Amino acid sequence: MTAKLQAATTVPVGVVAAMGGVVRRDLQASFRQPQDLLNPLLFFMMVVTLFPLGVSPEESFLRQSGSGILWVAALLSTLLSLDHLFRHDFDNGTLEQLVLQPQPLYLLVLAKTLAHWLVTGLPLVLLAPVLAVMLHLEGNSIAILCLTLLIGTPVLSFIGSVGAALTLGLRSGGVLLSLLIIPLYIPVLIFGTGTVAAAAGGASVGAYLALMGAFLVLSVTLAPFASAAALRISLSNS
Amino acid sequence: MTAKLQAATTVPVGVVAAMGGVVRRDLQASFRQPQDLLNPLLFFMMVVTLFPLGVSPEESFLRQSGSGILWVAALLSTLLSLDHLFRHDFDNGTLEQLVLQPQPLYLLVLAKTLAHWLVTGLPLVLLAPVLAVMLHLEGNSIAILCLTLLIGTPVLSFIGSVGAALTLGLRSGGVLLSLLIIPLYIPVLIFGTGTVAAAAGGASVGAYLALMGAFLVLSVTLAPFASAAALRISLSNS
Amino acid sequence: MSKPLLQATNLQCERDGRVLFDDLSLTIMPATLTRVEGPNGAGKTTLLRILAGLNENYSGEVHWLGAPRAAQREMFQRNLLYIGHRTGIKAALTAQENLAALMAGRHAVSAATLRAALAGTGLAGYEDVPCSQLSAGQQRRVALARLLISDEPLWILDEAFTALDTHGVAALERLLSDHAQRGGAVVVTTHHDLEVPGMQRIRLVPDKVAV
Amino acid sequence: MSKPLLQATNLQCERDGRVLFDDLSLTIMPATLTRVEGPNGAGKTTLLRILAGLNENYSGEVHWLGAPRAAQREMFQRNLLYIGHRTGIKAALTAQENLAALMAGRHAVSAATLRAALAGTGLAGYEDVPCSQLSAGQQRRVALARLLISDEPLWILDEAFTALDTHGVAALERLLSDHAQRGGAVVVTTHHDLEVPGMQRIRLVPDKVAV
Amino acid sequence: MSMWRWFHKFGSPKWFFDIASRLIPWLLGTGLVLLLTGLVWGLAFAPQDYLQGNSYRIIFIHVPSAFLAQSVYLMMASAAVVTLVWKMKLADVFVQTMAPVGALLTFLALFTGAVWGKPTWGTWWVWDARLTSMLILLFLYCGVIVLGRAIADEKSSARAVAVLVLVGVVNIPIIKYSVDWWNTLHQPATFTLTKRPSMPVEMWAPLLLSVVGLYLLFGWLTCVRMQTGILVREHRTSWVRALVRSQGV
Amino acid sequence: MQFDSFAAFLFMEGHGPYVWTCYAVFTLALVGLAWWSLKQRTAVIRQQYHAQLRAERRQASADAHTATDGSGTPAASFSRIHPS
Ligand code: HEM
Ligand SMILES: Nc1ncnc2c1ncn2[C@@H]1O[C@H](COP(=O)(O)OP(=O)(O)OP(=O)(O)O)[C@@H](O)[C@H]1O
Ligand SMILES: Nc1ncnc2c1ncn2[C@@H]1O[C@H](COP(=O)(O)OP(=O)(O)OP(=O)(O)O)[C@@H](O)[C@H]1O
Ligand SMILES: [Mg+2]
Ligand SMILES: [Mg+2]
């Protein structure tokens, strides 16, 4: 590998390869620190178990509010994990290097957010059926619930990435991040639980799912732009 | 203040003054600006808002589960904030300096945890009545609820401090310890909501409150020892 | 090759109400080593981050190979190697994984090359140790290993010599002047007295009239 | 005053399966300056943290004024000033608040003294700036300001000269040898060539039999 | 080009400062007269509502606050676009100085609504679509304020807040739509704000007066607060220094 | 006037407390905001005025020092502080 020592005129590593690199590296780092992986999951489980304990263990209550509880819990665990999305990388300088990579930043941010979802959102979707059974939800509702979580949790990650990027250098990070993001999460929450309620009421859920799909497409395409802009701002300030 | 340059034989700053110093400094750092005081309040309010939106806005449901929701939200806010209890100080080296202060470490840790409660627990107790009204709780229940939160939130902070100290350095130990802390939170939650339910049912709450008081005394006296030991381990390891 | 690599004109930057520099112009030619000097707080880091495109809170113009940098951001970044105060090393990954990650978006390198680069900075035997278990100087060495396999012409290094022992400092000095001799450009800050023949200097003098 | 301040016997420490030092004994007398030397990764930081009582993963004995340290922890800590890689500066607090916080458990100092100490490290005018807005060197200066108002006899400083500009380095060197001359003891690591008359050296040689 | 020059001129802080100085007395005078007329008329002279009795008189402050609370966010969003695209300082001054005003108006709408709810609905609060979306608007405002103050650097703070306001404004219609939908899904329509008898002129005339009056007062507040913001940001320019010299005590 | 007496006006058939709290809070909030905004403006002007005076004084003393030091800034002495 002899150095060419003249301005390179091509970007030899393709965008897709670079995005793959980002995902692989983030997954690697997460699996090295398993407690980072498990924390959101444990949190999710705990929030869900708190309701039978703290509110009421009655089957009718749980059946009625189970899907709402699972959704709120999923939302909160995503929120909890968002603080880590960029902060470690910011502190150790990896983020600077990401911004300086010769690929469009918003694609790299997209890859990073995707990795975040794979680590925090997906396990939660996989765990949801178990918890749903514990909350006495019915088979059909459980299937719909998991489907809405599967569509909805990436939306949460992507919207959240904007907040994480905006609050990056700031000391009051965690709480501030939640303040900025929770209002934006509300439509997802409403339609997520709404879909399950519609299914339980026997209505057709096609339209609801289409709407959630629209949220997903919107957030995946737009949020990385906003996050990339916010990251540049935060880095300028550090 | 001429330097004596020989081994000092007394500790000139008293324990109480040193503890006061720790509390003041932590409050200063949290409330750099007056509007920072608002953050935990807003956060708590938003978490509570998620439940009517996600589960059900009906008055009967909210009245029944209002106190449980508030307790769960309080528990979650505490949990979310625990990560920050020692981590910043660990990263910037303040924790090393704390450990090297010439006062007993467990008292300094006690002061630090107290500061944490003042910043995260207390505001939440103060806001709880407003949210309770929005969740349609009744006057008597509201008073009891606030009382249980006032006794219960410091317990959450103190128990949590042990977990925070342990997860600081131990990489794989983290999971184990979250698992240890969660079960410890559950009795507090059960008795907290149980007290309110008893009051709503017209039963006397004296015994419940006495028990919660016992939790408080126990956690304030024992948890700082465990946390101090955990901090030393974490620091040895870094 | 007389075309300047990087050209900045009329840079002005203020931070918390204090003007760090004003009307600063500079040209980075190929085959030069430039040292940015000044006491603590003069604005060296800020200047380097502006040149690297990390700090956008400035006014003035920056050109890359004669054209505005903003219009060719990706090409510029492809040709720039920046190492800052914070080195870009993840504590959870091993030395080799870290180096691979840093090279990922740039050009393809084989595992053997990565190991050779690490060995070149004195980390033979530490390739598979998580970086959290490396000492301060060893962590910097992981970051500096990039220099050994870089094909970027422009190097911008902030406090490049921090935490290195005497051998490390000498070896790095040689590497930097080699890079300049072979046509590359180096912009560097350091507080130890770096003296390289033909070194250019940019001196930042703090202006103390703070409001 | 010939009684040793700190005495360590038969220290042994291993980290991730590698023995850093073994059977290391040392004595820190009053009125001495000791430099711990060694290449990157030799174990300097580890040794200093053991001496300061921050790292408990070692075997061997440490005595303070002739008696086992464990039995008189608080007195020992009262007489020790340790500044590590990480300086103990909170980004959210101002320079003066940080200094006050660092002095809080030690001895009472007036606000005027704090400001004088900050001025003495060249931070006059920055007393009320949050430390997040200070440059790397300025942040270290805030931590070093403690040295100017310390009444602790034993100073343990890890990489004390990092990030300081040339003036700062020279002034700090003077301060350290003054402290030794007036009967204090300094244990320090640094990679720049510190030369003080009468300086003692502890050399850590990495044992290359890595596992 | 002429567009650019237009922006340059109207984006000049000094130009705005001078115009604002001239507008201030007019805005304050007419705003106060209209608002007070509207309120006195509404409180004392407008006829009683046959359904709600006298409690309906809260409408004369409730509706103006609610209207303005919503439109301030839209104005902030337009200003945020200008901040990001043209990097115009004035636009950021507007966003950052007016966010607290928007939050206060939102709070007033919520508070007056809550107090009104007690006599009419028998409860301080219901999780009704419109109420809930107003609460979320308050959260959005709080986020903008808190973020702006948390970032010390002026330029970074301006750009970060602009990004947040824009993300928020994209979401506002989505939130509104979803909350409307949610409410009708979960809750049988117990109360709707829109279901009311059409208002006689003696009721809507004072309402109109107070709405217009509050808008004018808002204009006055904008001028005063933006002047403060300009003074802070431009403190090193010669014209501000001269002005401070001539006015400082 | 819709009301027979001033007392009736205040009482508003039982709705007085609600109506009047609303108007009171509304007025207080707006007046408070206006007062705060005006006060902030004068405070900023006054503060900048004093800052200018201070800067001039500092400049004058710095000019006096430049003869000795050259930089006009207090150098770091790193000498120990011995307050009386
Ligand atoms: C906290 C509680 C309340 C909130 C947040 C609230 C919010 C709002 C908002 C945002 C508007 C403006 C709608 C628009 O822009 O068109 C509005 C208008 C109005 N509100 Fe409320 N409201 C509350 C309680 C009440 C109550 C209790 C009543 C009376 C029973 C009421 C009666 C009205 C009326 C009559 C209008 C004007 C109608 C219209 O323009 O659509 N509101 N309110
Ligand atoms: N994040 C920040 N926010 C606001 N101001 C800052 C920030 N970082 C640095 N500054 C200010 O900018 C000035 C220049 O800082 P910079 O880090 O560029 O200095 P430097 O020359 O690199 O110093 P050093 O030699 O100590 O690294 C400092 O005086 C500091 O007050
Ligand atoms: N947290 C840790 N866990 C395990 N091993 C570690 C840890 N930190 C350091 N080590 C190992 O201990 C050895 C000594 O590290 P130490 O930080 O003491 O070196 P040092 O002499 O201070 O080096 P430098 O000059 O680079 O600061 C290193 O080789 C490293 O492999
Ligand atoms: Mg620097
Ligand atoms: Mg070291």
Side-chain angles (χ1 to χ4, degrees):
Chain A
M1 183 94 17
T2 53
K4 285 197 304 282
L5 294 180
Q6 58 197 12
T9 49
T10 55
V11 176
V13 175
V15 165
V16 176
M19 287 170 72
V22 171
V23 172
R24 191 172 56 251
R25 181 196 338 168
D26 276 15
L27 292 185
Q28 248 176 0
S30 306
F31 285 106
R32 284 292 146 70
Q33 287 173 319
Q35 97 266 20
D36 279 1
L37 273 179
L38 273 175
N39 262 348
L41 264 187
L42 278 174
F43 186 83
F44 181 57
M45 253 166 84
M46 194 186 75
V47 175
V48 173
T49 39
L50 289 181
F51 278 88
L53 292 171
V55 184
S56 155
E58 276 163 44
E59 195 176 320
S60 63
F61 165 79
L62 292 176
R63 190 192 307 279
Q64 180 204 350
S65 44
S67 65
I69 291 173
L70 281 168
W71 253 98
V72 172
L75 196 154
L76 291 175
S77 6
T78 308
L79 210 61
L80 167 83
S81 63
L82 274 177
D83 199 35
H84 295 275
L85 174 52
F86 298 119
R87 188 169 305 275
H88 287 310
D89 285 8
F90 181 71
D91 289 343
N92 63 28
T94 324
L95 200 61
E96 283 170 14
Q97 299 296 341
L98 190 83
V99 169
L100 290 179
Q101 276 197 23
Q103 288 85 16
L105 181 57
Y106 73 91
L107 288 177
L108 300 176
V109 170
L110 197 153
K112 230 181 136 47
T113 316
L114 196 67
H116 175 259
W117 178 74
L118 286 176
V119 171
T120 61
L122 188 59
L124 217 143
V125 177
L126 300 179
L127 189 64
V130 180
L131 295 173
V133 169
M134 288 167 64
L135 295 180
H136 306 293
L137 291 193
E138 279 145 22
N140 184 31
S141 294
I142 294 182
I144 296 287
L145 174 72
C146 293
L147 194 60
T148 59
L149 282 175
L150 188 66
I151 307 176
T153 45
V155 182
L156 299 181
S157 287
F158 275 91
I159 296 179
S161 74
V162 183
L166 279 172
T167 54
L168 201 51
L170 306 179
R171 184 181 33 76
S172 41
V175 177
L176 187 56
L177 166 65
S178 316
L179 295 190
L180 303 186
I181 290 307
I182 290 181
L184 307 181
Y185 275 179
I186 285 173
V188 194
L189 176 69
I190 286 177
F191 280 102
T193 53
T195 312
V196 186
S204 129
V205 293
Y208 297 104
L209 289 178
L211 205 72
M212 292 205 63
F215 284 164
L216 180 60
V217 172
L218 250 160
S219 65
V220 172
T221 47
L222 294 186
F225 279 102
S227 306
L231 281 184
R232 286 193 198 281
I233 295 167
S234 294
L235 280 175
S236 285
N237 199 28
S238 79
Chain B
M1 183 103 10
T2 53
K4 283 197 302 280
L5 294 180
Q6 58 198 12
T9 50
T10 56
V11 176
V13 176
V15 165
V16 176
M19 288 172 72
V22 171
V23 172
R24 192 171 55 252
R25 180 199 333 169
D26 277 15
L27 293 186
Q28 249 176 1
S30 320
F31 301 129
R32 192 64 285 171
Q33 300 163 316
Q35 65 271 9
D36 288 351
L37 282 165
L38 272 178
N39 292 0
L41 290 181
L42 280 171
F43 175 72
F44 184 55
M45 200 161 153
M46 287 182 185
V47 172
V48 171
T49 314
L50 291 180
F51 289 95
L53 285 168
V55 184
S56 158
E58 273 162 46
E59 199 176 314
S60 61
F61 164 78
L62 291 175
R63 192 191 305 280
Q64 181 202 353
S65 46
S67 65
I69 290 177
L70 282 170
W71 252 97
V72 171
L75 204 150
L76 295 180
S77 320
T78 309
L79 210 68
L80 276 182
S81 60
L82 271 177
D83 196 38
H84 294 273
L85 175 53
F86 297 119
R87 185 161 314 272
H88 287 307
D89 284 8
F90 181 73
D91 288 343
N92 64 28
T94 323
L95 202 60
E96 283 170 13
Q97 298 296 339
L98 191 82
V99 168
L100 291 179
Q101 275 196 23
Q103 287 86 17
L105 182 57
Y106 73 92
L107 287 177
L108 300 175
V109 169
L110 197 156
K112 231 182 134 49
T113 316
L114 196 68
H116 176 257
W117 177 73
L118 286 175
V119 171
T120 59
L122 186 60
L124 194 150
V125 177
L126 298 179
L127 190 65
V130 178
L131 295 172
V133 169
M134 287 172 75
L135 295 180
H136 306 293
L137 292 193
E138 278 145 21
N140 185 31
S141 297
I142 295 181
I144 296 287
L145 173 71
C146 293
L147 194 60
T148 59
L149 283 174
L150 188 66
I151 306 176
T153 46
V155 182
L156 300 180
S157 288
F158 276 92
I159 296 179
S161 75
V162 183
L166 278 165
T167 48
L168 206 49
L170 297 187
R171 193 138 290 154
S172 50
V175 184
L176 194 71
L177 285 149
S178 310
L179 280 173
L180 278 180
I181 292 302
I182 294 163
L184 294 181
Y185 272 2
I186 285 175
V188 190
L189 176 74
I190 290 180
F191 280 99
T193 52
T195 315
V196 186
S204 134
V205 294
Y208 288 96
L209 289 179
L211 205 72
M212 292 203 68
F215 283 160
L216 179 60
V217 172
L218 255 161
S219 65
V220 172
T221 47
L222 295 185
F225 280 101
S227 307
L231 282 184
R232 285 195 199 279
I233 296 172
S234 298
L235 279 175
S236 281
N237 231 23
S238 77
Chain C
M1 227 204 265
S2 62
K3 206 170 171 196
L5 281 180
L6 195 66
Q7 227 173 348
T9 34
N10 295 329
L11 288 187
Q12 196 257 21
C13 177
E14 61 184 68
R15 299 199 86 157
D16 66 304
R18 210 159 58 80
V19 177
L20 289 181
F21 38 81
D22 193 7
D23 213 7
L24 178 75
S25 297
L26 53 90
T27 307
I28 308 293
M29 299 294 290
T32 56
L33 193 159
T34 311
R35 175 175 169 185
V36 177
E37 298 176 339
N40 289 138
K44 304 180 291 299
T45 299
T46 309
L47 177 60
L48 259 55
R49 289 175 70 88
I50 290 175
L51 293 182
L54 283 170
N55 186 333
E56 299 179 343
N57 292 338
Y58 64 94
S59 56
E61 314 242 303
V62 181
H63 288 250
W64 167 251
L65 294 176
R69 180 178 61 181
Q72 39 171 350
R73 186 128 221 164
E74 285 166 29
M75 276 328 299
F76 168 70
Q77 294 186 351
R78 175 66 193 91
N79 287 288
L80 164 71
L81 192 161
Y82 168 85
I83 301 180
H85 273 284
R86 291 175 293 197
T87 45
I89 300 299
K90 288 195 184 198
L93 299 184
T94 66
Q96 185 176 336
E97 284 166 353
N98 263 306
L99 188 57
L102 288 170
M103 301 303 298
R106 304 198 154 261
H107 61 250
V109 274
S110 68
T113 315
L114 295 177
R115 295 179 88 84
L118 287 173
T121 56
L123 290 175
Y126 288 93
E127 294 91 350
D128 301 322
V129 177
C131 285
S132 62
Q133 295 179 20
L134 295 183
S135 77
Q138 288 170 327
Q139 291 197 15
R140 274 212 79 92
R141 282 162 190 261
V142 178
L144 292 174
R146 267 177 83 187
L147 299 179
L148 303 185
I149 45 176
S150 137
D151 65 350
E152 291 88 359
L154 176 59
W155 292 359
I156 298 186
L157 312 174
D158 197 6
E159 311 242 351
F161 297 88
T162 303
L164 291 186
D165 57 25
T166 345
H167 282 294
V169 169
L172 183 58
E173 280 184 6
R174 247 177 292 122
L175 180 65
L176 297 190
S177 60
D178 276 8
H179 182 68
Q181 262 162 29
R182 276 181 301 145
V186 182
V187 184
V188 72
T189 70
T190 171
H191 289 300
H192 93 288
D193 18 272
L194 176 70
E195 266 311 336
V196 173
M199 184 177 77
Q200 305 194 324
R201 292 160 189 276
I202 295 172
R203 191 152 180 84
L204 298 179
V205 189
D207 161 33
K208 275 286 171 176
V209 194
V211 179
Chain D
M1 227 204 268
S2 63
K3 205 172 170 193
L5 281 180
L6 195 68
Q7 228 172 346
T9 35
N10 295 331
L11 288 186
Q12 196 257 21
C13 177
E14 61 184 66
R15 300 201 84 156
D16 65 305
R18 210 160 56 84
V19 177
L20 289 181
F21 38 81
D22 193 5
D23 212 9
L24 178 73
S25 297
L26 53 90
T27 307
I28 308 294
M29 299 294 289
T32 55
L33 193 158
T34 311
R35 176 174 169 184
V36 178
E37 299 176 336
N40 290 138
K44 303 180 293 300
T45 299
T46 309
L47 176 60
L48 259 56
R49 290 174 70 88
I50 290 175
L51 293 182
L54 283 170
N55 188 334
E56 299 178 343
N57 295 338
Y58 65 94
S59 58
E61 313 242 303
V62 182
H63 287 252
W64 167 249
L65 292 175
R69 180 178 61 181
Q72 38 173 349
R73 186 129 222 162
E74 284 166 30
M75 278 325 303
F76 168 68
Q77 293 188 352
R78 174 67 193 90
N79 287 288
L80 164 71
L81 193 162
Y82 168 85
I83 301 181
H85 273 286
R86 290 175 293 197
T87 45
I89 299 300
K90 288 195 183 195
L93 298 184
T94 66
Q96 185 175 338
E97 284 165 352
N98 262 306
L99 188 55
L102 289 170
M103 298 306 296
R106 306 199 153 259
H107 60 249
V109 274
S110 68
T113 314
L114 295 176
R115 295 179 89 85
L118 288 172
T121 56
L123 291 174
Y126 288 93
E127 295 92 352
D128 301 321
V129 176
C131 285
S132 61
Q133 297 179 19
L134 295 183
S135 77
Q138 289 170 325
Q139 292 197 17
R140 274 212 80 90
R141 282 162 191 261
V142 177
L144 292 174
R146 268 177 83 186
L147 299 179
L148 304 187
I149 45 177
S150 133
D151 65 350
E152 291 88 359
L154 175 59
W155 293 359
I156 299 186
L157 311 174
D158 196 6
E159 310 243 351
F161 297 88
T162 304
L164 289 186
D165 58 24
T166 345
H167 282 294
V169 169
L172 183 59
E173 281 182 7
R174 247 178 291 121
L175 180 65
L176 296 189
S177 60
D178 276 8
H179 182 67
Q181 262 162 30
R182 276 178 303 141
V186 182
V187 183
V188 71
T189 71
T190 171
H191 289 299
H192 93 290
D193 17 273
L194 176 70
E195 265 312 334
V196 174
M199 185 176 78
Q200 307 192 321
R201 293 159 188 278
I202 296 172
R203 190 149 182 87
L204 298 180
V205 190
D207 160 34
K208 275 290 174 186
V209 192
V211 181
Chain E
M1 260 301 107
S2 75
M3 168 79 168
W4 180 242
R5 207 171 301 126
W6 185 88
F7 257 116
H8 199 70
K9 181 177 172 213
F10 288 81
S12 144
K14 176 163 169 31
W15 177 85
F16 180 86
F17 194 95
D18 295 342
I19 289 285
S21 296
R22 261 182 281 153
L23 283 178
I24 277 176
W26 294 103
L27 287 171
L28 181 64
T30 45
L32 268 185
V33 167
L34 292 186
L35 183 67
L36 286 179
T37 316
L39 293 189
V40 170
W41 186 351
L43 267 177
F45 301 98
Q48 191 170 324
D49 188 85
Y50 70 91
L51 258 181
Q52 307 189 357
N54 283 313
S55 70
Y56 99 96
R57 293 179 196 280
I58 295 175
I59 200 173
F60 302 109
I61 53 181
H62 174 74
V63 169
S65 312
F67 270 158
L68 212 61
Q70 292 167 322
S71 39
V72 170
Y73 200 93
L74 295 182
M75 295 184 218
M76 279 168 46
S78 332
V81 174
V82 178
T83 307
L84 285 182
V85 178
W86 290 285
K87 298 206 162 67
M88 191 194 284
K89 266 190 191 175
L90 263 188
D92 171 56
V93 173
F94 179 82
V95 174
Q96 301 235 9
T97 56
M98 296 322 282
V101 179
L104 187 84
L105 289 166
T106 315
F107 169 77
L108 282 177
L110 279 168
F111 182 85
T112 52
V115 174
W116 192 357
K118 191 65 185 171
T120 34
W121 304 338
T123 171
W124 300 102
W125 181 263
V126 285
W127 293 93
D128 163 271
R130 201 183 251 169
L131 275 60
T132 308
S133 61
M134 210 63 184
L135 185 64
I136 297 170
L137 183 66
L138 181 66
F139 290 161
L140 287 175
Y141 272 122
C142 288
V144 170
I145 297 171
V146 174
L147 182 69
R149 308 237 166 147
I151 304 178
D153 186 81
E154 228 166 64
K155 285 181 187 141
S156 299
S157 151
R159 289 160 61 206
V161 164
V163 169
L164 180 67
V165 170
L166 283 183
V167 172
V169 88
V170 170
N171 273 275
I172 278 187
I174 300 178
I175 293 173
K176 219 171 160 52
Y177 169 71
S178 60
V179 168
D180 281 340
W181 177 83
W182 157 75
N183 177 265
T184 47
L185 179 87
H186 286 270
Q187 194 181 313
T190 24
F191 327 98
T192 44
L193 297 184
T194 39
K195 207 171 71 182
R196 66 187 152 73
S198 56
M199 244 184 229
V201 66
E202 307 86 73
M203 284 190 189
W204 66 252
L207 184 57
L208 188 67
L209 279 185
S210 46
V211 168
V212 175
L214 195 63
Y215 264 96
L216 290 175
L217 281 184
F218 171 79
W220 174 77
L221 269 173
T222 310
C223 290
V224 173
R225 292 178 66 86
M226 282 182 70
Q227 280 193 337
T228 314
I230 289 171
L231 286 175
V232 171
R233 265 159 238 239
E234 301 283 284
H235 70 275
R236 233 174 295 105
T237 58
S238 55
W239 73 268
V240 170
R241 295 178 71 87
L243 186 125
V244 164
R245 259 302 146 88
S246 63
Q247 296 201 354
V249 191
Chain F
M1 186 78 173
Q2 282 290 315
F3 299 94
D4 306 332
S5 67
F6 189 66
F9 180 50
L10 286 185
F11 185 62
M12 287 202 174
E13 294 168 6
H15 288 157
Y18 300 108
V19 175
W20 292 115
T21 6
C22 279
Y23 276 78
V25 168
F26 180 80
T27 321
L28 273 182
L30 283 191
V31 170
L33 181 64
W35 179 76
W36 175 51
S37 306
L38 288 171
K39 205 191 71 159
Q40 232 184 356
R41 196 177 56 175
T42 48
V44 162
I45 291 178
R46 188 167 322 125
Q47 190 191 322
Q48 289 187 11
Y49 180 70
H50 289 300
Q52 280 186 25
L53 292 189
R54 244 182 294 130
E56 276 164 21
R57 249 180 280 131
R58 206 156 354 122
Q59 193 62 53
S61 75
D63 288 346
H65 280 286
T66 27
T68 57
D69 179 308
S71 71
T73 66
S77 65
F78 273 90
S79 56
R80 288 185 56 89
I81 313 294
H82 302 293
S84 46

